[in-house]
Amino acid sequence: MSQQHSAAPAPTAQTASAVATVGRRRDWWRDAVIYQVYPRSFADSNGDGMGDLEGVRTRLPYLRDLGVDAVWLSPFYASPQADAGYDVADYRAVDPMFGNLLDADALIRDAHELNLRIIVDLVPNHSSDQHEWFKRALAEGPGSPSRDRYHFRPGKGENGELPPNDWESIFGGPAWTRVPDGEWYLHLFAPEQPDFNWDHPAVGDEFRSILRFWLDMGVDGFRIDVAHGLVKAEGLPDLGSHEQLKLLGNDVMPFFDQDGVHEIYRQWRVILDEYSGERIFVAEAWTPTVERTANYVRPDELHQAFNFQYLSTAWDADELRTVIDRTLEAMRPVGAPATWVLSNHDVTRHATRFANPPGLGTQIRLAGDRELGLRRARAATLLMLALPGSVYVYQGEELGLPDVVDLPDEVRQDPAYFRGAGQDGFRDGCRVPIPWTRTGSSYGFGDGGSWLPQPEGWGELSVEAQTGVADSTLELYRAALAVRRERPDLGAGDAVEWLKAPEGVLAFRRGEFVCVANTTGESVTAPVRGRVLLASGEVSEADGEVKVPADTTVWWATA
């Protein structure tokens, strides 16, 4: 009997050359692997406990060697940080906690030299309450033109003491805050995040200018925050009876997924297409169905939209096959690539999510069975990387990081945590700074500790601890991304050929490549023959058959 393990040798010069080739090819975004960096938690260059752009820049070679095509940076704009930078005070400035525009320029230039593309977050649904427009609107009072750039309304009730309608904030509580002169303003998120009124032409003018500013800086694209929320239903109608809104949900709402958003993105696409280099738009669009999501990626609108239906799917073969088929079918008519994602800065990391029983949602405050969670997370990763389309990787998932579920309440900073009627507010658990080294005050994150406390033993999951270790999660990611680059059957296209498989097992063919994912708790005999390319766990071969262990994915080359 012979054994096959999951990892491959560390990256080589040949790997770097392959990355360079990927960086120059056309339609790169159709099967790209895009790595999300949460700047405050990635790398700290000045020892203040907070990650920054210079820290990201120094770690770019690591991302090149990992094998990704592009880096998506969460917001680093000037902000009071009421919601970790998603409350922007100045869209053309870097917040001092992250550096300055020269640091942004250096990061973009260095990334391009390494054949990495840079995608930046754009937050067009709302600004900070410290934005000059909003401060002017407050100062100028009711009826002023400045107030028309936001949603100011008189209240209901005898003295206007009630909110204008019954909308609730995604973070909990009413979606309206009253100002001293008696009017109310709309904020679908925190009170420090007033919503723009996209019916006002000045708002569109401003954001078209912001797009050009960053495109001229050299960015390769934009991830559009709350892309489904810019346009509200006419008249701002009441919701009526409903459950508390969830941050990551698919309910039909009068302030989400309104048809008017598509005209905005058609105008933006015209601007983007003026620039060379295949720049792209990526939509964070929570919609009721994947078919509605496809509306955002029609040929004259955006390029990609996050597949949150896939992210929300349990580790279950039938459920996964259903969402895979629906996604590919929905994207095919509009000619857009599917996207696949397992973790991000707003949800429990999948190594923890899969360690707990299904049905707990995307926010979990339980450690669960960590060994089981990691095993399933590794298997889910290989399944995801075998699917046609583009893939998003959240920083630290390549290390198998779990959520830090036992953070003390006094260190939490998620604004949803402090609004009792809203979300669970446990997003801090997936935002703990990642470990680079086995030891040190913050395991290599920086010399001055970390803004969220890292748990004991974090260093054993570090880049240093896993590099060169054959069965480590980091080497599994490196090997999988290398195979994905080297084999044309992976990533490209828009279809899979399903193969007959035992219950609880997914098996599909793509050209001369076969993926088998066993989501059950028992070993199964693989329904294919060929050469094992990679496996998320140890597999065994005997008497011409391959046994796939529980919660394991295997890649085969059939020729």
Side-chain angles (χ1 to χ4, degrees):
M1 179 177 71
S2 63
Q3 294 181 338
Q4 189 79 243
H5 291 275
S6 60
T12 63
Q14 184 177 6
T15 302
S17 176
V19 174
T21 301
V22 170
R24 291 192 299 268
R25 62 185 172 81
R26 292 188 58 80
D27 291 338
W28 66 273
W29 47 275
R30 288 191 169 275
D31 60 357
V33 177
I34 301 174
Y35 186 99
Q36 181 189 358
V37 166
Y38 196 66
R40 59 172 53 206
S41 298
F42 193 66
D44 171 20
S45 70
N46 59 7
D48 65 356
M50 185 68 65
D52 46 48
L53 295 183
E54 176 62 15
V56 177
R57 189 175 72 86
T58 62
R59 297 293 186 179
L60 288 175
Y62 164 78
L63 298 178
R64 174 203 59 197
D65 293 343
L66 182 62
V68 302
D69 301 299
V71 179
W72 153 34
L73 298 165
S74 291
F76 51 79
Y77 308 112
S79 166
Q81 304 294 319
D83 185 21
Y86 283 95
D87 51 317
V88 181
D90 186 344
Y91 290 85
R92 297 177 182 83
V94 174
D95 194 280
M97 73 190 310
F98 297 123
N100 54 45
L101 282 174
L102 291 177
D103 294 319
D105 180 70
L107 191 159
I108 295 166
R109 291 176 183 274
D110 280 12
H112 289 167
E113 289 180 3
L114 294 170
N115 289 294
L116 292 169
R117 299 174 188 262
I118 294 293
I119 297 169
V120 297
D121 233 308
L122 187 66
V123 189
N125 179 70
H126 49 263
S127 73
S128 165
D129 62 353
Q130 298 304 303
H131 191 287
E132 284 301 318
W133 279 12
F134 191 76
K135 292 195 291 185
R136 190 186 314 161
L138 290 181
E140 292 181 359
S144 66
S146 294
R147 289 211 170 178
D148 290 340
R149 296 174 178 179
Y150 295 89
H151 293 279
F152 278 89
R153 296 288 188 277
K156 292 182 178 179
E158 184 176 349
N159 298 304
E161 70 277 9
L162 300 176
N165 66 21
D166 66 356
W167 293 2
E168 293 181 350
S169 163
I170 304 301
F171 288 159
W176 297 89
T177 290
R178 198 177 193 188
V179 300
D181 57 42
E183 284 201 327
W184 299 73
Y185 69 88
L186 176 68
H187 53 86
L188 291 181
F189 294 88
E192 297 88 351
Q193 296 168 288
D195 279 46
F196 284 117
N197 174 17
W198 273 86
D199 290 332
H200 195 293
V203 177
D205 290 345
E206 172 67 357
F207 273 90
R208 287 190 291 272
S209 173
I210 292 167
L211 289 176
R212 292 186 185 280
F213 178 88
W214 287 104
L215 289 167
D216 290 341
M217 283 275 289
V219 302
D220 299 285
F222 300 88
R223 177 265 191 187
I224 306 169
D225 184 62
V226 196
H228 57 306
L230 277 57
V231 173
K232 278 66 174 175
E234 186 175 356
L236 309 185
D238 282 343
L239 278 170
S241 178
H242 64 279
E243 295 181 0
Q244 165 61 39
L245 306 179
K246 296 298 182 183
L247 177 64
L248 304 178
N250 300 317
D251 297 328
V252 177
M253 295 292 170
F255 42 75
F256 283 159
D257 195 32
Q258 300 296 302
D259 289 339
V261 300
H262 299 292
E263 180 55 32
I264 296 170
Y265 298 138
R266 291 186 188 102
Q267 294 175 13
W268 287 13
R269 181 62 180 265
V270 171
I271 294 173
L272 201 71
D273 287 347
E274 294 173 4
Y275 288 79
S276 62
E278 291 193 285
R279 324 283 180 106
I280 69 167
F281 286 123
V282 183
E284 182 205 30
W286 285 88
T287 65
T289 65
V290 69
E291 290 78 13
R292 290 288 299 182
T293 301
N295 290 337
Y296 290 79
V297 289
R298 289 175 287 200
D300 61 345
E301 294 188 44
L302 310 179
H303 296 77
Q304 296 181 350
F306 288 140
N307 187 349
F308 292 118
Q309 284 81 9
Y310 186 78
L311 183 150
S312 303
T313 302
W315 180 238
D316 175 90
D318 290 339
E319 292 184 31
L320 286 164
R321 178 166 176 171
T322 296
V323 74
I324 291 168
D325 283 341
R326 284 194 65 181
T327 298
L328 295 175
E329 290 169 6
M331 296 298 147
R332 199 171 292 124
V334 295
T339 65
W340 314 101
V341 60
L342 290 168
S343 288
N344 65 32
H345 66 291
D346 279 332
V347 301
T348 299
R349 289 182 177 275
H350 60 285
T352 295
R353 206 164 64 245
F354 291 151
N356 286 278
L360 295 183
T362 56
Q363 288 295 334
I364 298 170
R365 203 180 186 185
L366 299 170
D369 183 336
R370 290 187 174 177
E371 182 178 340
L372 174 64
L374 180 58
R375 187 165 69 246
R376 288 176 171 174
R378 289 164 59 98
T381 293
L382 285 197
L383 172 61
M384 175 179 71
L385 288 172
L387 295 171
S390 183
V391 171
Y392 283 78
V393 173
Y394 177 51
Q395 66 175 47
E397 73 172 72
E398 77 276 15
L399 304 177
L401 296 186
D403 252 47
V404 180
V405 299
D406 54 356
L407 287 171
D409 292 349
E410 59 271 18
V411 306
R412 292 187 175 275
Q413 299 191 28
D414 184 348
Y417 182 76
F418 302 99
R419 296 172 66 82
Q423 307 301 307
D424 294 331
F426 300 140
R427 294 180 296 168
D428 291 318
C430 67
R431 300 175 177 182
V432 173
I434 67 174
W436 294 92
T437 59
R438 280 192 172 93
T439 59
S441 66
S442 60
Y443 304 107
F445 169 68
D447 295 333
S450 62
W451 67 281
L452 283 173
Q454 299 158 303
E456 186 177 353
W458 207 230
E460 294 309 306
L461 298 174
S462 67
V463 173
E464 179 185 41
Q466 296 194 45
T467 294
V469 178
D471 61 352
S472 71
T473 301
L474 175 58
E475 294 299 350
L476 174 66
Y477 270 75
R478 286 172 169 165
L481 294 180
V483 172
R484 184 180 165 97
R485 286 193 306 275
E486 293 160 2
R487 298 193 66 88
D489 301 333
L490 285 173
D494 62 2
V496 298
E497 175 192 350
W498 293 107
L499 304 176
K500 185 177 180 180
E503 184 176 354
V505 176
L506 290 172
F508 60 84
R509 181 188 305 276
R510 306 197 62 229
E512 296 177 346
F513 169 89
V514 170
C515 176
V516 174
N518 178 11
T519 70
T520 75
E522 304 291 336
S523 293
V524 298
T525 300
V528 293
R529 298 290 182 270
R531 175 170 57 91
V532 174
L533 293 171
L534 197 60
S536 64
E538 188 176 283
V539 298
S540 59
E541 301 176 72
D543 300 325
E545 293 186 337
V546 177
K547 292 289 187 181
V548 180
D551 300 308
T552 299
T553 297
V554 185
W555 289 359
W556 269 273
T558 58

